[in-house]
Structures are given as structure tokens and as C-alpha cells.
Amino acid sequence: QVQLVESGGGSVQAGGSLRLSCVVSGRTFSAHPVGWFRQASGKEREFVATIIGSGGMTRYRDSVKGRFTISKDNAKNTVHLQMNSLKPEDTAIYYCAGSVASSLSATPGDYHYWGQGTQVTVSS
């Protein structure tokens, strides 16, 4: 059974940092993308970042480029999302997701396995 478990969410002030972690069990995603998505209250789920391959190719949504960094530890089957310079508009539930595709997709429908989510709240 595939499981993705997020941790690291919390409440911070604008300009602060958080590091989210996603531990994957039940299968290896080394050759497939693992991504982070978020969903703010009353809004649709949106792509944040994704990573694929042993070399760690990455893709980000424009609004987080330069502030967020996705990385992975293959030995621990863990994917991290380092979030710096947080803004109130980053407030959302953040989800980790795994895909069986072979490309850096930003489409939620291309991801087949999802974690339960972790809340990130950024106050001004």
C-alpha cells in the first residue's frame, strides 16, 4: 500500500520559513515525479513544485520561484519543500503527491497517490 505522509506545516509571520517533508512508503518514485500542491480555502488545488529522477530535475509555479526549493533524499524516500520569504497568499493546505508518469507534470490529475495534507498559515 502506497502512503505519503506530510509534516512540517505550521503558522509563521510573513517573511518567515517552513520546511515541509513527505515520507513515501510502499513504492519507489525515483523515476517518477513527486510533487507538492496546495489548496487555499474556497479555491482549487494548484501546483507548487515537482521533482523527478536521480538528478532531481525540478519544476515550480512562477509565484514560488526563488522562494521555494524542492529536494529529495532517495535513501530515505523523502521529499522536502523548503519555503522561504513566505507570504500571506501562501496560506493553504499543502499536499504531497506521487505520479506514475515520467514527466514533470503540473496537473493534479496526473498524480495518483496523495498525502493527507499539512496546513501552512502565513500571517501579515
Side-chain angles (χ1 to χ4, degrees):
Q1 182 180 358
V2 179
Q3 283 191 313
L4 292 85
V5 180
E6 305 98 333
S7 63
S11 297
V12 296
Q13 290 190 328
S17 298
L18 285 172
R19 187 188 194 214
L20 306 184
S21 296
C22 172
V23 178
V24 181
S25 61
R27 73 168 290 156
T28 299
F29 286 95
S30 58
H32 304 285
V34 177
W36 287 95
F37 293 78
R38 66 188 182 188
Q39 188 166 17
S41 180
K43 295 187 177 181
E44 292 187 354
R45 192 167 298 188
E46 64 181 21
F47 166 75
V48 177
T50 189
I51 188 167
I52 190 173
S54 57
M57 292 179 61
T58 59
R59 179 181 179 181
Y60 297 91
R61 73 178 295 109
D62 287 345
S63 63
V64 308
K65 286 180 180 177
R67 299 190 298 124
F68 291 11
T69 303
I70 189 171
S71 62
K72 63 178 184 173
D73 183 336
N74 288 324
K76 297 182 179 179
N77 229 19
T78 301
V79 176
H80 302 287
L81 184 68
Q82 178 66 44
M83 305 186 296
N84 299 327
S85 302
L86 282 161
K87 303 176 181 180
E89 52 263 43
D90 295 318
T91 295
I93 298 174
Y94 282 70
Y95 298 90
C96 176
S99 173
V100 297
S102 57
S103 62
L104 287 165
S105 175
T107 304
D110 289 337
Y111 290 77
H112 309 85
Y113 305 100
W114 292 84
Q116 82 287 350
T118 185
Q119 177 71 47
V120 171
T121 302
V122 184
S123 59
S124 58

